[in-house]
Amino acid sequence: MAEPETKNMTMIEAIRDAMDVTMSQNSDVLVFGEDVGYFGGVFRCTAGLQEKHGLHRCFDTPISEGGIVGIAIGMAANGLRPVAEIQFADYIYPAYDQIASEAARLRYRSNGDFTCPLTIRTPVGGGIYGGTTHSQSPEALFTHIAGLKTVIPSNPYDAKGMLIEAIEDNDPVLFLEPKRLYNGPFNGDPHAPAKSWKGHPLGEVPTGHYGIELGKARKITEGDDVTILTYGTMVWVAEATAAKVGISADILDLRSLLPLDLDAIVESVKKTGRCLIMHEATRTSGFGAELSALVTEHCFYHLEAPIERVTGWDTPYPHAQEWAYFPGQKRVANALKRIMKDV
Amino acid sequence: MAGKTKTTSKKKAAPKALKTTQDELLQFYKDMLLIRRFEEKAGQLYGMGLIAGFCHLYIGQEAVVTGIRAAMKEGDQMITGYRDHGHMLACDMEARGVMAELTGREGGYSRGKGGSMHMFSTEKKFYGGHGIVGAQVPLGAGLGFANKYLDNGAVSIAFFGDGASNQGQVYETFNMAKLWDLPVVFVIENNQYAMGTSVERSSAETELFKRGISFEIEGVQVDGMNVLAVRDAAKKAIDHARAGKGPMILEMKTYRYRGHSMSDPAKYRTRDEVNDIRSARDPIDAVKARLEKEGWADTDALKAIDKDIKAVVNDSADFAQSSPEPDPSELYTDVLLEA
C-alpha cells in the first residue's frame, strides 16, 4: 500500500479531520455539543462539519452537560456512534453521574448484552489564564472508573489516530484534549514565543483514515538516566527540560491512561532505575500516585532513587498565578537533579 | 372502570367509555397477575435470604406497565429505573432469567452482575434497569433520538417515578426531547412516595403531568390503577410520538403496597391508607370484577389462570435457586470489550 499523504495540521485540525473522516465513512457517527454545530466549537474543532455533513449529523445542544451525555448514551445503546463535546472539562461534572453510572457500566451489568460506543471529547489543562473553571485536569476522576477508557494525546498525529480509534471503539472513551497544545507544542515557558505545529514531525498528519491503538505509550526520547512518565501538555515540558538539564531521559508519553501501557513503563524503569512522574493536575490522589504505586510494585528492586512527582499544587487552578501553579521547567529540573544526585 | 384523566392540553377530552374485549381483558389479567405473583415470590425469597441487597417490588402498580405495553408496537423500547421486575415481565422477558438475576445466579439475565436493579435484553428491547434515580430518562430520549435518526419508526418509553421527577437531568431531557421532537413518551409512575417522602413533602407542583408545560410538552394525568385508562392514554401518546409530534408526559397516579425496598419500615404512611387503596382501587381486582360482570370468566377459569401463573412463578423460583453461582472468572468479564 502506498504511504498515505500527509499534511501539516494543528491539533485542532487533526481532531476535526478525525471526525470528518469517520463521519464520511459511517453515517452512524454524530457530532454534537454546546456551540458545536453552527458556531463550530469554541476551539473550532468542529468548524465546517455541520456544513459538510448536515444539520442532522453535527448539531448544537442546549447547555445541559448531564443531558448531553445521557442522551448520547441512549443513542450509543441504540446503534449510533455519538461523539459528544463537553466545551471544557471543567463543565463535565454534571455529567459525571451519567459517565460513571451509565456509560461505563452498561456492558458489565448487562453481561455484554448492551454496549456504549460513545466518545466524549473535552479540552483540559491550563496555560490560557482560564482560572479555576477553565483549566482543570480531572483525568484521575475518570481513571478511577472501571468500564471507561481515558486517553489524552499530546500532538496532532496522535490526536487524529486516537480519536478515530476512540470513535470506532465499542466502549465509552473519554478523549481529553490539552488545550494549550491545540496550536503548538508548549515547553512550559510562558514567555517564550509561541511555537506552532508547523515543522514538528508529529504535526505531519496522514490525510486519510488511520487508527492508533488505545493503551500504547509513545516514546518521545530514548535515554538511559531516568524514565519520565507523563502525558498531555507536560510531555513537551519534559522534553525541553531534559534537554536543557542535559540528562539522557527515556520519556514516555503515556497517551492512554486507561488502558495503560504498563509493559512500556516497566521496561523503561528497569532500564534506567530512576523515575520522574509529571502531570499538570493537582498532586494528591492524582494519576501520578497510581503510576508511582505501579512502578513501586513492579520495579522496586530496580530503583536506584526515590520516585519523584512533579505536579500541580493542591490548590484550585489560579488565574493571576497560573505560572506559579503550572509545573514548569524549574520544578522539573529540580526534580531531575534530586533524582540524579547520587550518580 | 371509568378512568379519570386530566390534561394540560387546551382541548377538553371527552369522557369515554373504556372499551375492551374478552381476549384483551383476560390477557391484561394474566399479565398483571404474573407480575404480582412474581413479586410476591421475590418478596418471599428475599425473606428467606435467597435474594441479597436491594429489591423493589412493583405490587400495586401492575396496571401501569401492562397498559403501556399494550399500546406499544414491535420494535418500541422500554427503559426504567430500579423498580423494574414488572417491566421486564411485561416485555416478555422470561421469569426464570429475571428471578435468577435476583438470586444472583448464572442463569440471570445479567449473569448475576446486575442484580434486581440492572437487567437488560436487547432482544426484547428492554434497556434496563437503572439504579440511579432519574438517570435513565436522558438515555430514553437518546434511544428516541437514534430511532428518529435511523428512521426506524420506533418509539421509546422512558419510565420514572415521582421522586425522579425532581431530578435536574429530567428537565434537560424534556427540553431536548421537545426541541428535537424526539419519539419518546415519558411515563411518570407517581406512586406518591419517593422512598419515604411523599410528593406533597417534596414537590412544589404536585400535579406532575404539568411538569412539561414550560417545554411545550403536553402532559396527561391518568388513573394508573386502571389498565384500560392507561392503555388509552398510552396509545395516544405513543401515536403522537410516532407521528413525529414529539414527546408527551403521562403521569400515572398509582400506588405501591409494599415498602420502597425490602428494608422500608413504612413509617411515613398509615396501614389504613394502604389498606383503603388496596380494597378500593386494586388494579387486578378491578379487572377481575369486570371479567366476572361481563361474564367473560367464571371462578373456575380465574382459578385456572392463577394456577398456571403460580406454576410459572414457582418454576422461576426453582430455577433461581438451582442455577449455579457465577464462575469466579465472571468478575472480570464484560468490563470492556475483550480482545
Side-chain angles (χ1 to χ4, degrees), chain A residues 193-231:
Chain A
K195 277 175 87 174
S196 84
W197 286 107
K198 234 182 195 89
H200 195 286
L202 292 170
E204 288 301 314
V205 179
T207 49
H209 177 285
Y210 67 98
I212 292 174
E213 188 184 344
L214 307 182
K216 293 286 177 220
R218 169 188 282 285
K219 186 72 71 77
I220 297 291
T221 58
E222 192 82 42
D224 300 316
D225 295 341
V226 60
T227 295
I228 300 181
L229 303 179
T230 189
Y231 51 87

Side-chain angles (χ1 to χ4, degrees), chain A residues 31-335:
Chain A
V31 171
F32 51 92
E34 296 156 8
D35 275 323
V36 158
Y38 180 76
F39 188 73
V42 288
F43 290 103
R44 320 301 304 150
C45 287
T46 53
L49 294 180
Q50 185 175 77
E51 240 175 354
K52 179 166 176 187
H53 298 283
L55 201 63
H56 61 307
R57 296 194 59 204
C58 177
F59 53 90
D60 298 313
T61 64
I63 299 176
S64 310
E65 289 82 8
I68 292 168
V69 173
I71 284 180
I73 295 166
M75 290 159 71
N78 196 13
L80 302 182
R81 288 193 180 271
V83 183
E85 176 180 300
I86 299 296
Q87 202 166 73
F88 286 83
D90 315 70
Y91 306 172
I92 208 168
Y93 305 123
Y96 196 73
D97 175 36
Q98 286 292 339
I99 297 168
S101 291
E102 301 293 340
R105 302 288 147 79
L106 279 186
R107 180 187 288 279
Y108 191 75
R109 68 187 197 216
S110 69
N111 195 43
D113 195 8
F114 281 86
T115 58
C116 186
L118 159 70
T119 304
I120 302 170
R121 293 178 37 246
T122 191
V124 293
I128 63 164
Y129 291 101
T132 36
T133 58
H134 294 70
S135 308
Q136 296 170 76
S137 296
E139 66 272 11
L141 295 173
F142 296 96
T143 54
H144 202 59
I145 298 172
L148 175 71
K149 296 182 180 180
T150 297
V151 305
I152 175 166
S154 71
N155 58 77
Y157 181 89
D158 287 350
K160 181 175 170 185
M162 289 172 70
L163 183 54
I164 289 174
E165 195 80 8
I167 293 169
E168 293 175 353
D169 198 291
N170 284 324
D171 284 302
V173 180
L174 180 67
F175 190 88
L176 305 175
E177 302 171 0
K179 62 175 91 73
R180 180 67 206 220
L181 300 181
Y182 270 147
N183 288 306
F186 175 60
N187 68 6
D189 177 2
H191 307 297
K195 277 175 87 174
S196 84
W197 286 107
K198 234 182 195 89
H200 195 286
L202 292 170
E204 288 301 314
V205 179
T207 49
H209 177 285
Y210 67 98
I212 292 174
E213 188 184 344
L214 307 182
K216 293 286 177 220
R218 169 188 282 285
K219 186 72 71 77
I220 297 291
T221 58
E222 192 82 42
D224 300 316
D225 295 341
V226 60
T227 295
I228 300 181
L229 303 179
T230 189
Y231 51 87
T233 308
M234 299 307 291
V235 167
W236 307 112
V237 180
E239 188 201 34
T241 312
K244 204 176 259 182
V245 174
I247 198 167
S248 170
D250 221 32
I251 301 178
L252 280 182
D253 174 1
L254 297 173
R255 301 194 290 191
S256 171
L257 306 186
L258 199 75
L260 182 69
D261 194 347
L262 185 60
D263 290 345
I265 293 170
V266 171
E267 191 193 316
S268 173
V269 176
K270 282 186 175 172
K271 178 179 76 173
T272 63
R274 289 177 163 81
C275 180
L276 170 65
I277 294 162
M278 295 166 56
H279 58 60
E280 194 184 335
T282 48
R283 185 179 185 86
T284 302
S285 302
F287 193 67
E290 177 65 27
L291 292 172
S292 176
L294 285 169
V295 170
T296 308
E297 283 161 12
H298 292 270
C299 310
F300 184 76
Y301 293 105
H302 293 80
L303 286 174
E304 292 168 33
I307 299 165
E308 286 271 352
R309 280 185 289 162
V310 175
T311 67
W313 305 124
D314 281 341
T315 66
Y317 214 112
H319 171 65
Q321 294 173 309
E322 172 139 300
W323 300 110
Y325 172 93
F326 188 87
Q329 290 192 17
K330 199 167 150 194
R331 269 143 72 186
V332 178
N334 286 341

Side-chain angles (χ1 to χ4, degrees), chain B residues 17-310:
Chain B
L18 301 178
K19 285 184 195 154
T20 183
T21 63
Q22 181 178 15
D23 286 351
E24 183 188 53
L25 206 61
L26 271 171
Q27 193 58 50
F28 285 162
Y29 183 71
K30 288 177 192 167
D31 292 346
M32 291 198 286
L33 200 62
L34 172 64
I35 295 173
R36 180 154 305 179
R37 296 284 177 259
F38 181 93
E39 294 290 65
E40 286 167 352
K41 181 59 81 178
Q44 270 177 25
L45 296 188
Y46 196 94
M48 292 160 68
L50 292 164
I51 295 173
F54 293 83
C55 185
H56 308 89
L57 302 181
Y58 197 62
I59 296 173
Q61 301 180 212
E62 297 92 343
V64 177
V65 79
T66 305
I68 299 273
R69 179 72 176 125
M72 290 168 67
K73 288 197 173 136
E74 181 83 30
D76 290 348
Q77 304 128 334
M78 216 185 254
I79 185 167
T80 189
Y82 47 79
R83 197 177 304 284
D84 57 353
H85 313 159
H87 300 70
M88 292 184 270
L89 296 172
C91 287
D92 296 325
M93 287 168 69
E94 285 177 23
R96 277 184 160 202
V98 180
M99 197 70 93
E101 188 62 32
L102 296 182
T103 56
R105 303 303 176 96
E106 200 178 278
Y109 266 102
S110 296
R111 213 175 277 195
K113 288 189 174 93
S116 162
M117 300 180 280
H118 312 115
M119 286 181 244
F120 303 79
S121 170
T122 39
E123 187 202 342
K124 303 292 185 189
K125 302 283 178 195
F126 181 70
Y127 283 74
H130 299 263
I132 305 288
V133 178
Q136 76 278 11
V137 181
L139 271 66
L143 298 173
F145 190 107
N147 291 336
K148 182 170 179 163
Y149 181 80
L150 298 168
D151 198 20
N152 62 13
V155 173
S156 66
I157 319 290
F159 291 82
F160 54 104
D162 45 287
S165 75
N166 288 326
Q167 278 278 19
Q169 54 184 323
V170 169
Y171 297 91
E172 297 186 5
T173 305
F174 282 177
N175 182 43
M176 285 185 266
K178 184 57 196 169
L179 180 68
W180 299 324
D181 274 336
L182 302 182
V184 53
V185 175
F186 299 108
V187 179
I188 305 175
E189 298 198 58
N190 181 359
N191 67 19
Q192 303 173 45
Y193 294 94
M195 284 186 70
T197 304
S198 67
V199 172
E200 288 73 21
R201 284 192 286 125
S202 63
S203 302
E205 170 55 83
T206 56
E207 298 210 289
L208 304 180
F209 69 102
K210 295 178 180 168
R211 291 290 182 92
I213 287 176
S214 63
F215 304 97
E216 299 285 335
I217 301 178
E218 186 183 341
V220 181
Q221 190 183 66
V222 183
D223 178 0
M225 304 300 265
N226 181 332
V227 69
L228 301 178
V230 174
R231 173 206 62 190
D232 290 348
K235 189 170 181 323
K236 274 190 199 157
I238 292 171
D239 286 350
H240 179 92
R242 207 186 309 278
K245 296 175 187 166
M248 275 182 69
I249 294 169
L250 301 178
E251 180 196 2
M252 298 291 165
K253 294 283 281 202
T254 184
Y255 200 77
R256 67 169 152 75
Y257 300 164
R258 298 291 187 92
H260 161 77
S261 67
M262 301 304 291
S263 55
D264 177 354
K267 291 269 202 293
Y268 48 85
R269 60 184 184 186
T270 63
R271 194 175 285 274
D272 284 349
E273 177 182 306
V274 182
N275 288 340
D276 286 353
I277 291 178
R278 204 168 182 149
S279 57
R281 294 180 59 206
D282 185 77
I284 299 177
D285 283 352
V287 168
K288 192 175 170 189
R290 173 99 181 246
L291 283 170
E292 287 172 334
K293 188 180 144 213
E294 302 275 1
W296 287 341
D298 59 17
T299 313
D300 287 347
L302 294 173
K303 267 190 187 159
I305 289 172
D306 208 7
K307 201 177 151 201
D308 289 348
I309 285 171
K310 271 188 181 142

